[in-house]
Structures are given as C-alpha cells and as structure tokens.
Amino acid sequence: MSEASMLLPFEARTAVHAMTAVRPAREALGGAVPARVLVDMAARGAVDLSALESTDYPGLLAEVGQAILATATPERQDRLFPDSVALMAGGPGGAAGPVSFGYGAAGVLWSLAEVVEVPDELVDWLVRAVEETDGLGPGLFDGASGIALALDRLGRTDAAARLWGQVEQVPLVELGTRLADGLPGIGLALLERAPVRDVEALIARAAAIGAELLDRLAVEDPWSEGPGLLHGGSGTALYLLHLYGLTEDESLLVGVERSLQRDLTALGLGPDGRRWSTTTEDSSVWTGTDGIVMVLHEAVKHLDVPWLHEIHRSAAMLSGRRLEHLPALFRARAGALLAYQTMHSEPWTPAHERVALVHLHLGRLDLCGGRRHLHLTNQVTVDTGTGAAGHLVALAGLLGSGDRRVPFFW
C-alpha cells in the first residue's frame, strides 16, 4: 500500500503534499529541526502534526495546555476560563456552571493537570468558588462528584472529601439515569476517584448504583432524551461495563445490552438489520455516535449477541469512512479519530501501534486553521460542543504513551 492510499479516507492527497511545509523548514535550519522548534511550528500551524515524532508529543500537549492556561482570569469572580475552554463548551449554566466538571473550571483544571503544572492560584479560585456556590447537585458533569474528582486530582483531598460526603447523602432513588447528572456519572466518578480512602465502601456504593440502574431498566426506558453518552443509554452501558469488570456479575450484561439497544435503535440500528449511518450531524464522543461505538466496541467482548456483533463489524469498517465527511475543524475530528483508534486497537495495544493507526491522519488536526497562534481557546465547534479542554483530553488519548488511557473509558 502506498503512503498516499494510507491517507484515505480523510482525503485524497499524497505524502509529498503532506510534508511540503516540513521540508523547507528543515532546509532553512540546515537539515535538522530541533524537537522544540518543530513542536512550536506545529502549534503555530507552520507544519502539520504528522511531522512530529512520538518524543515530541508531550511537548505538544504541554504547548496546548499552556495556551489554555493563558486564558485563565483568576481576578474575576464569575468564571475562571471562557466558555469555549470547558470540556463541553456551550453547556448549561445553573448553580455549578462556572465551577462544574463538564462546563466550568473543575474540568478544565482536571484536564490540564495531566500535561502541565497547574498554578495554586487557579486551584485556590476553584476551592473558594465551590464554597460560595449554593445548590450543588451530585452529578458528574454539573455537580459535586465531578468537582470532587477534579479536586482530588489537583491535590486538594480535604476539599474533595467534603464534596464526596455530600454526594453520599443523596438517596439513589432520587437520581436520574443520565451520565451527565445521574447515577451512571456518579458511578464513573467513583471508579475514577483517586486516592480512595475506603475501597470496600466505594465498591459497595458502586454496586448499589448498578443495582438501582438494573431496577430502572427492568420496568421502563428511563431516558427521556436522544442517544449518546451524556443523555442516553450508552452512558449507562459504559458504567455497567466497568462495574462488570470489577464484580463479574453477569446480570449487569443484561443492562448493558438493553441500554445499548436503546441508543442504537434511536440511530436507526437494531436487531432488524437496518444499516449503519455515516452522517455527521450526530458525530460526537459525548453526545453522538462516536461515543456509542466506543462503548459498543467494549460490550461485544462480553456479550454473545449476534446483532450487536454485526453492528460492531459494520461500525468498525465504516468508522474511517465517517471521517471524510467531518467539517474542517479540529474539535469535530479529534473525537472521531479517537473513536477510530479505539475501534481498531485495544487497551493493551502498544502505544506506538496505536499512534501508527492515526499518525498519517494527524495533519487533519490543524490547531491553528492557518493562523499564526494557537486558537484552541477561541473557536467552538457548534456540532460537538466540545471545548479546548475536552479536546486536549482527546489529543492526549490519541498521542498518549505507556499506560495512558482515555478517562472514563478503558
């Protein structure tokens, strides 16, 4: 297979074209481009990301992290970062909006902690703002469990413990079934929690959440909105799969199948053999098909359900074809490319093999859109709603080395 054909299905272009901006730079610098210079050039859009080597990736992630940090405004009381920087830009306001994990400061600082040193001043802002916020719900994306998860990661375990305590006091029967603000999200937050002070209590709480979800699934379709991880059945399936990995309770797999069937049927797929759709309007990790197929990829390892396996084979085959229809914006592509990588690798696949799957496609992830400076923080993709912090997480997942994993997935 030629290098040019390997670039498909993103676009019909040759490897020579892909490297046109790299060769003049190397020649100008005497044939050898220092890594730090090449990373800076990639961040400014002077070369595409496929020019980088694996040793350059940490520097690129740090560059993106520093660009996000540069937008922080700790002198303000209403918000720490612009809306476009959040994990999910354009999200709901509400009491927790400016401090929340999904739509505010907690999620941004949590994502930054993986790639740069977060200044104490910004963490202090979050702790203070949370203390002054009334009416926090328990949810992952819009409430206390997500903020607690971030504070633990940022080293503020005492402040986090107070929030975990609040979450514990909420009766499970009062919580919904959406990952965004209900049972699956709180369960995922618990399983991501570190450090854990009482492992047995955590597992017991996680199992109770799973049991409550199974009870709901036994009597109703508990989701009132469309398909997707945040608001649909695949968020429940994701949590139940993680819980199954801990407990090996096969009754949980019944809930996984039913939850996935709900979302797949809503997409026009199901046991009747309807075909996979490759439209882009529903393309997103958190709210569309990309996240659903990432869950499906894990589910078929445990479910002996022929129609699910058939849909998975079709989705794996067409996951690349979806990418050629995406709009010319980084945020739209990052999640789809992450789904593509997930569908064609496993958690134990060596890092260099995972990156090799997408390496020649990285040129499509233009950080600057032809401008001279990083603009991750001032452009929001309307179709996905993902902000700069969310897309830093996706980029880290794509380029991660060693045992790096995509948070909340595998």
Side-chain angles (χ1 to χ4, degrees):
M1 180 181 292
S2 68
E3 285 188 318
S5 63
M6 288 177 68
L7 288 165
L8 295 173
F10 286 101
E11 58 184 1
R13 63 176 186 173
T14 65
V16 173
H17 174 72
M19 299 298 287
T20 52
V22 181
R23 287 175 178 160
R26 287 177 172 158
E27 292 171 1
L29 294 169
V33 181
R36 59 179 177 78
V37 175
L38 198 57
V39 167
D40 178 68
M41 293 171 69
R44 290 187 289 107
V47 300
D48 76 38
L49 300 187
S50 63
L52 301 182
E53 302 295 336
S54 59
T55 53
D56 301 326
Y57 297 154
L60 176 68
L61 295 174
E63 189 84 14
V64 176
Q66 291 295 339
I68 293 173
L69 275 178
T71 69
T73 53
E75 69 278 3
R76 294 181 57 152
Q77 294 184 349
D78 59 327
R79 64 154 172 87
L80 183 58
F81 293 98
D83 175 75
S84 59
V85 175
L87 283 171
M88 293 293 291
V99 297
S100 69
F101 186 85
Y103 314 103
V108 177
L109 296 180
W110 169 83
S111 68
L112 288 172
E114 294 296 321
V115 297
V116 296
E117 183 176 349
V118 177
D120 286 340
E121 179 187 19
L122 304 189
V123 186
D124 291 341
W125 186 99
L126 176 61
V127 172
R128 184 173 59 253
V130 170
E131 291 174 348
E132 296 172 354
T133 300
D134 296 324
L136 276 179
L140 169 59
F141 265 56
D142 68 349
S145 61
I147 299 170
L149 187 65
L151 287 172
D152 270 334
R153 178 65 184 83
L154 295 163
R156 302 300 177 90
T157 55
D158 289 342
R162 290 192 290 273
L163 291 176
W164 288 121
Q166 293 178 28
V167 175
E168 286 285 332
Q169 299 303 312
V170 179
L172 297 183
V173 295
E174 295 182 5
L175 298 172
T177 53
R178 305 192 314 173
L179 186 151
D181 56 7
L183 293 163
I186 293 172
L188 286 172
L190 286 170
L191 297 183
E192 290 280 336
R193 183 179 179 183
V196 178
R197 300 183 178 184
D198 188 335
V199 175
E200 291 186 2
L202 184 147
I203 293 177
R205 183 69 168 177
I209 290 172
E212 180 67 25
L213 284 168
L214 291 181
D215 287 346
R216 307 275 184 95
L217 286 167
V219 297
E220 62 179 344
D221 177 346
W223 303 281
S224 60
E225 300 183 49
L229 283 172
L230 278 188
H231 306 298
S234 50
T236 294
L238 176 62
Y239 174 66
L240 294 178
L241 281 167
H242 281 299
L243 187 58
Y244 173 75
L246 283 176
T247 66
E248 297 186 347
D249 178 358
E250 294 196 356
S251 69
L252 297 168
L253 296 180
V254 176
V256 171
E257 179 183 356
R258 180 165 183 182
S259 301
L260 269 177
Q261 181 177 352
R262 187 265 186 185
D263 275 11
L264 292 170
T265 301
L267 291 174
L269 304 160
D272 59 0
R274 282 175 284 184
R275 297 182 63 185
W276 183 260
S277 169
T278 58
T279 60
T280 60
E281 289 78 5
D282 55 4
S283 177
S284 166
V285 169
W286 288 111
T287 59
T289 55
D290 292 328
I292 295 171
V293 299
M294 289 172 71
V295 178
L296 175 64
H297 181 68
E298 182 67 17
V300 295
K301 300 173 188 176
H302 309 290
L303 288 169
D304 185 17
V305 181
W307 71 270
L308 276 179
H309 282 264
E310 182 61 32
I311 289 176
H312 177 261
R313 283 191 292 270
S314 176
M317 181 178 64
L318 294 174
S319 60
R321 192 179 304 171
R322 287 178 56 78
L323 300 174
E324 65 184 280
H325 300 291
L326 290 175
L329 291 173
F330 178 80
R331 288 167 183 72
R333 291 201 186 100
L337 190 52
L338 187 63
Y340 174 84
Q341 188 186 61
T342 299
M343 293 288 285
H344 293 85
S345 65
E346 300 299 341
W348 56 84
T349 301
H352 70 276
E353 293 183 16
R354 294 199 309 270
V355 175
L357 286 168
V358 297
H359 183 258
L360 288 177
H361 305 318
L362 295 178
R364 297 280 289 192
L365 304 185
D366 180 6
L367 299 184
C368 299
R371 300 188 183 185
R372 292 289 297 171
H373 302 286
L374 272 171
H375 71 174
L376 294 178
T377 56
N378 59 28
Q379 182 179 353
V380 180
T381 304
V382 174
D383 62 324
T384 67
T386 303
H391 142 207
L392 173 61
V393 174
L395 192 61
L398 285 171
L399 305 180
S401 60
D403 59 358
R404 183 183 292 274
R405 54 182 284 273
V406 180
F408 306 108
F409 284 90
W410 329 113

